[in-house]
PDB file of all heavy atoms in Angstrom:
ATOM      1  N   ARG A   1     114.794  73.735  57.043  1.00 84.00           N
ATOM      2  CA  ARG A   1     115.187  72.346  57.220  1.00 84.00           C
ATOM      3  C   ARG A   1     114.961  71.508  55.965  1.00 84.00           C
ATOM      4  O   ARG A   1     115.399  70.368  55.898  1.00 84.00           O
ATOM      5  CB  ARG A   1     114.444  71.746  58.408  1.00 84.00           C
ATOM      6  CG  ARG A   1     115.004  72.238  59.744  1.00 84.00           C
ATOM      7  CD  ARG A   1     116.499  71.923  59.817  1.00 84.00           C
ATOM      8  NE  ARG A   1     117.223  72.675  60.813  1.00 84.00           N
ATOM      9  CZ  ARG A   1     117.379  72.289  62.071  1.00 84.00           C
ATOM     10  NH1 ARG A   1     116.820  71.179  62.478  1.00 84.00           N
ATOM     11  NH2 ARG A   1     118.073  73.021  62.903  1.00 84.00           N
ATOM     12  N   GLN A   2     114.263  72.061  54.974  1.00 82.00           N
ATOM     13  CA  GLN A   2     114.153  71.377  53.694  1.00 82.00           C
ATOM     14  C   GLN A   2     115.468  71.403  52.927  1.00 82.00           C
ATOM     15  O   GLN A   2     115.690  70.593  52.021  1.00 82.00           O
ATOM     16  CB  GLN A   2     113.059  72.037  52.842  1.00 82.00           C
ATOM     17  CG  GLN A   2     111.668  71.954  53.456  1.00 82.00           C
ATOM     18  CD  GLN A   2     110.997  70.642  53.170  1.00 82.00           C
ATOM     19  OE1 GLN A   2     111.594  69.580  53.262  1.00 82.00           O
ATOM     20  NE2 GLN A   2     109.733  70.685  52.809  1.00 82.00           N
ATOM     21  N   LEU A   3     116.359  72.349  53.295  1.00 85.00           N
ATOM     22  CA  LEU A   3     117.626  72.512  52.585  1.00 85.00           C
ATOM     23  C   LEU A   3     118.830  72.093  53.415  1.00 85.00           C
ATOM     24  O   LEU A   3     119.744  71.444  52.908  1.00 85.00           O
ATOM     25  CB  LEU A   3     117.797  73.972  52.148  1.00 85.00           C
ATOM     26  CG  LEU A   3     116.700  74.562  51.258  1.00 85.00           C
ATOM     27  CD1 LEU A   3     117.001  76.029  50.974  1.00 85.00           C
ATOM     28  CD2 LEU A   3     116.588  73.788  49.951  1.00 85.00           C
ATOM     29  N   VAL A   4     118.854  72.507  54.680  1.00 85.00           N
ATOM     30  CA  VAL A   4     120.002  72.227  55.550  1.00 85.00           C
ATOM     31  C   VAL A   4     119.485  71.724  56.898  1.00 85.00           C
ATOM     32  O   VAL A   4     118.308  71.850  57.216  1.00 85.00           O
ATOM     33  CB  VAL A   4     120.881  73.483  55.761  1.00 85.00           C
ATOM     34  CG1 VAL A   4     121.545  73.898  54.473  1.00 85.00           C
ATOM     35  CG2 VAL A   4     120.045  74.627  56.327  1.00 85.00           C
ATOM     36  N   SER A   5     120.399  71.186  57.696  1.00 85.00           N
ATOM     37  CA  SER A   5     119.998  70.596  58.971  1.00 85.00           C
ATOM     38  C   SER A   5     120.537  71.340  60.183  1.00 85.00           C
ATOM     39  O   SER A   5     120.270  70.926  61.322  1.00 85.00           O
ATOM     40  CB  SER A   5     120.464  69.132  59.037  1.00 85.00           C
ATOM     41  OG  SER A   5     121.883  69.054  58.939  1.00 85.00           O
ATOM     42  N   ASP A   6     121.277  72.420  59.976  1.00 87.00           N
ATOM     43  CA  ASP A   6     121.920  73.070  61.113  1.00 87.00           C
ATOM     44  C   ASP A   6     121.745  74.586  61.118  1.00 87.00           C
ATOM     45  O   ASP A   6     122.560  75.310  61.674  1.00 87.00           O
ATOM     46  CB  ASP A   6     123.404  72.712  61.157  1.00 87.00           C
ATOM     47  CG  ASP A   6     124.136  73.072  59.870  1.00 87.00           C
ATOM     48  OD1 ASP A   6     123.481  73.518  58.914  1.00 87.00           O
ATOM     49  OD2 ASP A   6     125.378  72.917  59.825  1.00 87.00           O
ATOM     50  N   MET A   7     120.678  75.091  60.512  1.00 92.00           N
ATOM     51  CA  MET A   7     120.395  76.517  60.516  1.00 92.00           C
ATOM     52  C   MET A   7     119.270  76.785  61.514  1.00 92.00           C
ATOM     53  O   MET A   7     118.201  76.161  61.449  1.00 92.00           O
ATOM     54  CB  MET A   7     120.006  76.998  59.109  1.00 92.00           C
ATOM     55  CG  MET A   7     119.974  78.511  58.957  1.00 92.00           C
ATOM     56  SD  MET A   7     119.569  79.045  57.265  1.00 92.00           S
ATOM     57  CE  MET A   7     120.998  78.432  56.372  1.00 92.00           C
ATOM     58  N   ASP A   8     119.491  77.710  62.463  1.00 95.00           N
ATOM     59  CA  ASP A   8     118.547  77.907  63.556  1.00 95.00           C
ATOM     60  C   ASP A   8     118.405  79.382  63.897  1.00 95.00           C
ATOM     61  O   ASP A   8     119.335  80.176  63.707  1.00 95.00           O
ATOM     62  CB  ASP A   8     118.992  77.162  64.824  1.00 95.00           C
ATOM     63  CG  ASP A   8     119.325  75.708  64.564  1.00 95.00           C
ATOM     64  OD1 ASP A   8     118.397  74.897  64.499  1.00 95.00           O
ATOM     65  OD2 ASP A   8     120.529  75.419  64.427  1.00 95.00           O
ATOM     66  N   LEU A   9     117.230  79.724  64.447  1.00 96.00           N
ATOM     67  CA  LEU A   9     116.983  81.058  64.997  1.00 96.00           C
ATOM     68  C   LEU A   9     116.574  80.904  66.457  1.00 96.00           C
ATOM     69  O   LEU A   9     115.627  80.176  66.769  1.00 96.00           O
ATOM     70  CB  LEU A   9     115.884  81.774  64.219  1.00 96.00           C
ATOM     71  CG  LEU A   9     115.393  83.103  64.817  1.00 96.00           C
ATOM     72  CD1 LEU A   9     116.522  84.146  64.807  1.00 96.00           C
ATOM     73  CD2 LEU A   9     114.176  83.632  64.076  1.00 96.00           C
ATOM     74  N   VAL A  10     117.300  81.580  67.334  1.00 97.00           N
ATOM     75  CA  VAL A  10     116.971  81.599  68.760  1.00 97.00           C
ATOM     76  C   VAL A  10     116.646  83.043  69.135  1.00 97.00           C
ATOM     77  O   VAL A  10     117.396  83.968  68.790  1.00 97.00           O
ATOM     78  CB  VAL A  10     118.135  81.073  69.618  1.00 97.00           C
ATOM     79  CG1 VAL A  10     117.787  81.142  71.098  1.00 97.00           C
ATOM     80  CG2 VAL A  10     118.481  79.639  69.223  1.00 97.00           C
ATOM     81  N   TYR A  11     115.532  83.212  69.834  1.00 98.00           N
ATOM     82  CA  TYR A  11     115.070  84.558  70.184  1.00 98.00           C
ATOM     83  C   TYR A  11     114.592  84.560  71.634  1.00 98.00           C
ATOM     84  O   TYR A  11     113.763  83.728  72.025  1.00 98.00           O
ATOM     85  CB  TYR A  11     113.940  84.972  69.250  1.00 98.00           C
ATOM     86  CG  TYR A  11     113.398  86.371  69.459  1.00 98.00           C
ATOM     87  CD1 TYR A  11     114.095  87.483  69.005  1.00 98.00           C
ATOM     88  CD2 TYR A  11     112.185  86.577  70.097  1.00 98.00           C
ATOM     89  CE1 TYR A  11     113.598  88.771  69.187  1.00 98.00           C
ATOM     90  CE2 TYR A  11     111.674  87.854  70.281  1.00 98.00           C
ATOM     91  CZ  TYR A  11     112.378  88.946  69.822  1.00 98.00           C
ATOM     92  OH  TYR A  11     111.885  90.218  69.996  1.00 98.00           O
ATOM     93  N   MET A  12     115.109  85.485  72.416  1.00 98.00           N
ATOM     94  CA  MET A  12     114.696  85.630  73.811  1.00 98.00           C
ATOM     95  C   MET A  12     114.181  87.050  74.022  1.00 98.00           C
ATOM     96  O   MET A  12     114.833  88.022  73.623  1.00 98.00           O
ATOM     97  CB  MET A  12     115.858  85.335  74.754  1.00 98.00           C
ATOM     98  CG  MET A  12     115.478  85.423  76.221  1.00 98.00           C
ATOM     99  SD  MET A  12     116.798  84.880  77.355  1.00 98.00           S
ATOM    100  CE  MET A  12     118.013  86.176  77.072  1.00 98.00           C
ATOM    101  N   ALA A  13     113.025  87.167  74.649  1.00 97.00           N
ATOM    102  CA  ALA A  13     112.419  88.481  74.876  1.00 97.00           C
ATOM    103  C   ALA A  13     111.870  88.546  76.293  1.00 97.00           C
ATOM    104  O   ALA A  13     111.530  87.514  76.900  1.00 97.00           O
ATOM    105  CB  ALA A  13     111.310  88.748  73.867  1.00 97.00           C
ATOM    106  N   GLY A  14     111.780  89.754  76.814  1.00 96.00           N
ATOM    107  CA  GLY A  14     111.235  89.938  78.149  1.00 96.00           C
ATOM    108  C   GLY A  14     110.810  91.379  78.374  1.00 96.00           C
ATOM    109  O   GLY A  14     111.188  92.285  77.623  1.00 96.00           O
ATOM    110  N   TYR A  15     109.998  91.585  79.404  1.00 97.00           N
ATOM    111  CA  TYR A  15     109.528  92.937  79.728  1.00 97.00           C
ATOM    112  C   TYR A  15     109.258  93.043  81.220  1.00 97.00           C
ATOM    113  O   TYR A  15     109.113  92.037  81.927  1.00 97.00           O
ATOM    114  CB  TYR A  15     108.252  93.272  78.951  1.00 97.00           C
ATOM    115  CG  TYR A  15     107.009  92.605  79.498  1.00 97.00           C
ATOM    116  CD1 TYR A  15     106.174  93.247  80.413  1.00 97.00           C
ATOM    117  CD2 TYR A  15     106.683  91.305  79.125  1.00 97.00           C
ATOM    118  CE1 TYR A  15     105.054  92.627  80.930  1.00 97.00           C
ATOM    119  CE2 TYR A  15     105.564  90.675  79.630  1.00 97.00           C
ATOM    120  CZ  TYR A  15     104.747  91.335  80.538  1.00 97.00           C
ATOM    121  OH  TYR A  15     103.642  90.707  81.056  1.00 97.00           O
ATOM    122  N   TYR A  16     109.175  94.281  81.689  1.00 96.00           N
ATOM    123  CA  TYR A  16     108.804  94.552  83.076  1.00 96.00           C
ATOM    124  C   TYR A  16     107.996  95.842  83.101  1.00 96.00           C
ATOM    125  O   TYR A  16     108.464  96.883  82.614  1.00 96.00           O
ATOM    126  CB  TYR A  16     110.041  94.695  83.963  1.00 96.00           C
ATOM    127  CG  TYR A  16     109.716  95.023  85.401  1.00 96.00           C
ATOM    128  CD1 TYR A  16     109.304  94.026  86.284  1.00 96.00           C
ATOM    129  CD2 TYR A  16     109.804  96.332  85.876  1.00 96.00           C
ATOM    130  CE1 TYR A  16     108.992  94.325  87.600  1.00 96.00           C
ATOM    131  CE2 TYR A  16     109.497  96.642  87.190  1.00 96.00           C
ATOM    132  CZ  TYR A  16     109.082  95.635  88.051  1.00 96.00           C
ATOM    133  OH  TYR A  16     108.765  95.938  89.346  1.00 96.00           O
ATOM    134  N   ARG A  17     106.782  95.767  83.638  1.00 95.00           N
ATOM    135  CA  ARG A  17     105.934  96.956  83.724  1.00 95.00           C
ATOM    136  C   ARG A  17     106.329  97.798  84.930  1.00 95.00           C
ATOM    137  O   ARG A  17     106.447  97.299  86.050  1.00 95.00           O
ATOM    138  CB  ARG A  17     104.460  96.566  83.818  1.00 95.00           C
ATOM    139  CG  ARG A  17     103.867  96.134  82.493  1.00 95.00           C
ATOM    140  CD  ARG A  17     102.342  96.211  82.471  1.00 95.00           C
ATOM    141  NE  ARG A  17     101.729  95.353  83.461  1.00 95.00           N
ATOM    142  CZ  ARG A  17     101.011  95.775  84.493  1.00 95.00           C
ATOM    143  NH1 ARG A  17     100.868  97.075  84.701  1.00 95.00           N
ATOM    144  NH2 ARG A  17     100.472  94.920  85.337  1.00 95.00           N
ATOM    145  N   ILE A  18     106.517  99.088  84.685  1.00 95.00           N
ATOM    146  CA  ILE A  18     106.850 100.047  85.739  1.00 95.00           C
ATOM    147  C   ILE A  18     105.562 100.763  86.127  1.00 95.00           C
ATOM    148  O   ILE A  18     105.032 101.574  85.359  1.00 95.00           O
ATOM    149  CB  ILE A  18     107.908 101.051  85.266  1.00 95.00           C
ATOM    150  CG1 ILE A  18     109.149 100.309  84.754  1.00 95.00           C
ATOM    151  CG2 ILE A  18     108.288 102.007  86.385  1.00 95.00           C
ATOM    152  CD1 ILE A  18     110.161 101.230  84.098  1.00 95.00           C
ATOM    153  N   GLY A  19     105.056 100.485  87.297  1.00 91.00           N
ATOM    154  CA  GLY A  19     103.775 101.069  87.681  1.00 91.00           C
ATOM    155  C   GLY A  19     102.662 100.523  86.807  1.00 91.00           C
ATOM    156  O   GLY A  19     102.674  99.370  86.367  1.00 91.00           O
ATOM    157  N   ASP A  20     101.680 101.370  86.512  1.00 91.00           N
ATOM    158  CA  ASP A  20     100.522 100.952  85.726  1.00 91.00           C
ATOM    159  C   ASP A  20     100.533 101.493  84.305  1.00 91.00           C
ATOM    160  O   ASP A  20      99.668 101.131  83.509  1.00 91.00           O
ATOM    161  CB  ASP A  20      99.226 101.413  86.421  1.00 91.00           C
ATOM    162  CG  ASP A  20      99.018 100.745  87.770  1.00 91.00           C
ATOM    163  OD1 ASP A  20      99.443  99.580  87.909  1.00 91.00           O
ATOM    164  OD2 ASP A  20      98.456 101.392  88.683  1.00 91.00           O
ATOM    165  N   TYR A  21     101.508 102.347  83.962  1.00 94.00           N
ATOM    166  CA  TYR A  21     101.407 103.053  82.686  1.00 94.00           C
ATOM    167  C   TYR A  21     102.636 102.930  81.784  1.00 94.00           C
ATOM    168  O   TYR A  21     102.630 103.477  80.682  1.00 94.00           O
ATOM    169  CB  TYR A  21     101.117 104.540  82.942  1.00 94.00           C
ATOM    170  CG  TYR A  21      99.874 104.776  83.753  1.00 94.00           C
ATOM    171  CD1 TYR A  21      99.956 105.143  85.094  1.00 94.00           C
ATOM    172  CD2 TYR A  21      98.614 104.615  83.186  1.00 94.00           C
ATOM    173  CE1 TYR A  21      98.809 105.357  85.850  1.00 94.00           C
ATOM    174  CE2 TYR A  21      97.456 104.826  83.929  1.00 94.00           C
ATOM    175  CZ  TYR A  21      97.569 105.190  85.257  1.00 94.00           C
ATOM    176  OH  TYR A  21      96.427 105.389  86.000  1.00 94.00           O
ATOM    177  N   SER A  22     103.670 102.254  82.194  1.00 96.00           N
ATOM    178  CA  SER A  22     104.864 102.160  81.350  1.00 96.00           C
ATOM    179  C   SER A  22     105.537 100.807  81.535  1.00 96.00           C
ATOM    180  O   SER A  22     105.230 100.057  82.466  1.00 96.00           O
ATOM    181  CB  SER A  22     105.853 103.288  81.664  1.00 96.00           C
ATOM    182  OG  SER A  22     106.310 103.200  83.011  1.00 96.00           O
ATOM    183  N   ALA A  23     106.457 100.517  80.626  1.00 97.00           N
ATOM    184  CA  ALA A  23     107.166  99.246  80.679  1.00 97.00           C
ATOM    185  C   ALA A  23     108.513  99.376  79.994  1.00 97.00           C
ATOM    186  O   ALA A  23     108.692 100.180  79.074  1.00 97.00           O
ATOM    187  CB  ALA A  23     106.338  98.142  80.005  1.00 97.00           C
ATOM    188  N   VAL A  24     109.473  98.589  80.455  1.00 97.00           N
ATOM    189  CA  VAL A  24     110.758  98.450  79.775  1.00 97.00           C
ATOM    190  C   VAL A  24     110.816  97.028  79.211  1.00 97.00           C
ATOM    191  O   VAL A  24     110.229  96.093  79.774  1.00 97.00           O
ATOM    192  CB  VAL A  24     111.947  98.715  80.715  1.00 97.00           C
ATOM    193  CG1 VAL A  24     112.004 100.172  81.099  1.00 97.00           C
ATOM    194  CG2 VAL A  24     111.872  97.823  81.949  1.00 97.00           C
ATOM    195  N   SER A  25     111.518  96.862  78.114  1.00 97.00           N
ATOM    196  CA  SER A  25     111.549  95.566  77.445  1.00 97.00           C
ATOM    197  C   SER A  25     112.878  95.388  76.726  1.00 97.00           C
ATOM    198  O   SER A  25     113.642  96.344  76.539  1.00 97.00           O
ATOM    199  CB  SER A  25     110.388  95.454  76.447  1.00 97.00           C
ATOM    200  OG  SER A  25     110.415  96.534  75.523  1.00 97.00           O
ATOM    201  N   GLY A  26     113.136  94.172  76.300  1.00 97.00           N
ATOM    202  CA  GLY A  26     114.357  93.891  75.572  1.00 97.00           C
ATOM    203  C   GLY A  26     114.291  92.534  74.902  1.00 97.00           C
ATOM    204  O   GLY A  26     113.436  91.702  75.218  1.00 97.00           O
ATOM    205  N   SER A  27     115.198  92.316  73.952  1.00 97.00           N
ATOM    206  CA  SER A  27     115.254  91.020  73.281  1.00 97.00           C
ATOM    207  C   SER A  27     116.660  90.777  72.745  1.00 97.00           C
ATOM    208  O   SER A  27     117.423  91.711  72.483  1.00 97.00           O
ATOM    209  CB  SER A  27     114.232  90.938  72.143  1.00 97.00           C
ATOM    210  OG  SER A  27     114.610  91.748  71.049  1.00 97.00           O
ATOM    211  N   LEU A  28     116.973  89.498  72.588  1.00 98.00           N
ATOM    212  CA  LEU A  28     118.233  89.051  72.006  1.00 98.00           C
ATOM    213  C   LEU A  28     117.912  88.042  70.913  1.00 98.00           C
ATOM    214  O   LEU A  28     117.185  87.074  71.145  1.00 98.00           O
ATOM    215  CB  LEU A  28     119.122  88.404  73.070  1.00 98.00           C
ATOM    216  CG  LEU A  28     120.407  87.733  72.577  1.00 98.00           C
ATOM    217  CD1 LEU A  28     121.367  88.766  71.990  1.00 98.00           C
ATOM    218  CD2 LEU A  28     121.079  86.958  73.713  1.00 98.00           C
ATOM    219  N   ARG A  29     118.440  88.288  69.711  1.00 98.00           N
ATOM    220  CA  ARG A  29     118.201  87.412  68.570  1.00 98.00           C
ATOM    221  C   ARG A  29     119.537  86.864  68.072  1.00 98.00           C
ATOM    222  O   ARG A  29     120.497  87.618  67.867  1.00 98.00           O
ATOM    223  CB  ARG A  29     117.516  88.199  67.447  1.00 98.00           C
ATOM    224  CG  ARG A  29     117.365  87.439  66.134  1.00 98.00           C
ATOM    225  CD  ARG A  29     116.837  88.373  65.056  1.00 98.00           C
ATOM    226  NE  ARG A  29     115.465  88.752  65.306  1.00 98.00           N
ATOM    227  CZ  ARG A  29     114.414  88.276  64.633  1.00 98.00           C
ATOM    228  NH1 ARG A  29     114.597  87.387  63.670  1.00 98.00           N
ATOM    229  NH2 ARG A  29     113.204  88.687  64.899  1.00 98.00           N
ATOM    230  N   TYR A  30     119.580  85.544  67.873  1.00 97.00           N
ATOM    231  CA  TYR A  30     120.795  84.900  67.359  1.00 97.00           C
ATOM    232  C   TYR A  30     120.394  83.960  66.231  1.00 97.00           C
ATOM    233  O   TYR A  30     119.603  83.026  66.426  1.00 97.00           O
ATOM    234  CB  TYR A  30     121.520  84.126  68.463  1.00 97.00           C
ATOM    235  CG  TYR A  30     122.828  83.516  68.018  1.00 97.00           C
ATOM    236  CD1 TYR A  30     124.004  84.251  68.049  1.00 97.00           C
ATOM    237  CD2 TYR A  30     122.878  82.206  67.539  1.00 97.00           C
ATOM    238  CE1 TYR A  30     125.210  83.691  67.634  1.00 97.00           C
ATOM    239  CE2 TYR A  30     124.079  81.649  67.117  1.00 97.00           C
ATOM    240  CZ  TYR A  30     125.237  82.402  67.166  1.00 97.00           C
ATOM    241  OH  TYR A  30     126.430  81.850  66.740  1.00 97.00           O
ATOM    242  N   PHE A  31     120.941  84.215  65.050  1.00 96.00           N
ATOM    243  CA  PHE A  31     120.629  83.417  63.863  1.00 96.00           C
ATOM    244  C   PHE A  31     121.898  82.738  63.374  1.00 96.00           C
ATOM    245  O   PHE A  31     122.847  83.404  62.957  1.00 96.00           O
ATOM    246  CB  PHE A  31     120.048  84.314  62.767  1.00 96.00           C
ATOM    247  CG  PHE A  31     119.672  83.579  61.513  1.00 96.00           C
ATOM    248  CD1 PHE A  31     118.603  82.698  61.504  1.00 96.00           C
ATOM    249  CD2 PHE A  31     120.389  83.767  60.338  1.00 96.00           C
ATOM    250  CE1 PHE A  31     118.251  82.019  60.343  1.00 96.00           C
ATOM    251  CE2 PHE A  31     120.053  83.099  59.180  1.00 96.00           C
ATOM    252  CZ  PHE A  31     118.973  82.220  59.181  1.00 96.00           C
ATOM    253  N   SER A  32     121.924  81.412  63.442  1.00 94.00           N
ATOM    254  CA  SER A  32     123.089  80.639  63.020  1.00 94.00           C
ATOM    255  C   SER A  32     122.854  80.068  61.631  1.00 94.00           C
ATOM    256  O   SER A  32     121.806  79.468  61.368  1.00 94.00           O
ATOM    257  CB  SER A  32     123.363  79.508  64.016  1.00 94.00           C
ATOM    258  OG  SER A  32     124.362  78.627  63.519  1.00 94.00           O
ATOM    259  N   LEU A  33     123.835  80.244  60.748  1.00 91.00           N
ATOM    260  CA  LEU A  33     123.762  79.680  59.408  1.00 91.00           C
ATOM    261  C   LEU A  33     124.408  78.304  59.334  1.00 91.00           C
ATOM    262  O   LEU A  33     124.620  77.769  58.247  1.00 91.00           O
ATOM    263  CB  LEU A  33     124.416  80.610  58.389  1.00 91.00           C
ATOM    264  CG  LEU A  33     123.569  81.796  57.921  1.00 91.00           C
ATOM    265  CD1 LEU A  33     123.540  82.891  58.991  1.00 91.00           C
ATOM    266  CD2 LEU A  33     124.074  82.361  56.614  1.00 91.00           C
ATOM    267  N   GLY A  34     124.725  77.724  60.487  1.00 87.00           N
ATOM    268  CA  GLY A  34     125.309  76.390  60.514  1.00 87.00           C
ATOM    269  C   GLY A  34     126.777  76.384  60.132  1.00 87.00           C
ATOM    270  O   GLY A  34     127.443  77.421  60.089  1.00 87.00           O
ATOM    271  N   GLU A  35     127.293  75.213  59.832  1.00 84.00           N
ATOM    272  CA  GLU A  35     128.687  75.063  59.426  1.00 84.00           C
ATOM    273  C   GLU A  35     128.816  75.147  57.915  1.00 84.00           C
ATOM    274  O   GLU A  35     128.034  74.544  57.181  1.00 84.00           O
ATOM    275  CB  GLU A  35     129.243  73.731  59.921  1.00 84.00           C
ATOM    276  CG  GLU A  35     129.350  73.631  61.430  1.00 84.00           C
ATOM    277  CD  GLU A  35     130.037  72.358  61.869  1.00 84.00           C
ATOM    278  OE1 GLU A  35     130.282  71.494  60.999  1.00 84.00           O
ATOM    279  OE2 GLU A  35     130.348  72.223  63.074  1.00 84.00           O
ATOM    280  N   VAL A  36     129.813  75.910  57.460  1.00 81.00           N
ATOM    281  CA  VAL A  36     130.064  76.093  56.032  1.00 81.00           C
ATOM    282  C   VAL A  36     131.510  75.738  55.741  1.00 81.00           C
ATOM    283  O   VAL A  36     132.428  76.220  56.411  1.00 81.00           O
ATOM    284  CB  VAL A  36     129.772  77.547  55.598  1.00 81.00           C
ATOM    285  CG1 VAL A  36     130.059  77.719  54.113  1.00 81.00           C
ATOM    286  CG2 VAL A  36     128.336  77.923  55.919  1.00 81.00           C
ATOM    287  N   GLN A  37     131.729  74.884  54.747  1.00 76.00           N
ATOM    288  CA  GLN A  37     133.078  74.500  54.348  1.00 76.00           C
ATOM    289  C   GLN A  37     133.605  75.486  53.316  1.00 76.00           C
ATOM    290  O   GLN A  37     132.926  75.804  52.340  1.00 76.00           O
ATOM    291  CB  GLN A  37     133.072  73.089  53.753  1.00 76.00           C
ATOM    292  CG  GLN A  37     132.529  72.019  54.689  1.00 76.00           C
ATOM    293  CD  GLN A  37     133.429  71.762  55.875  1.00 76.00           C
ATOM    294  OE1 GLN A  37     134.648  71.910  55.773  1.00 76.00           O
ATOM    295  NE2 GLN A  37     132.831  71.385  56.992  1.00 76.00           N
TER     296      GLN A  37
END
């Protein structure tokens, strides 16, 4: 934000434990470089 006003990183993550010894997980990452002319 010291350079531009519209560059952002959005990150969503989650998990679910299966029983007591394992887990499944996932994430989605979106990085916007803003508007460029």
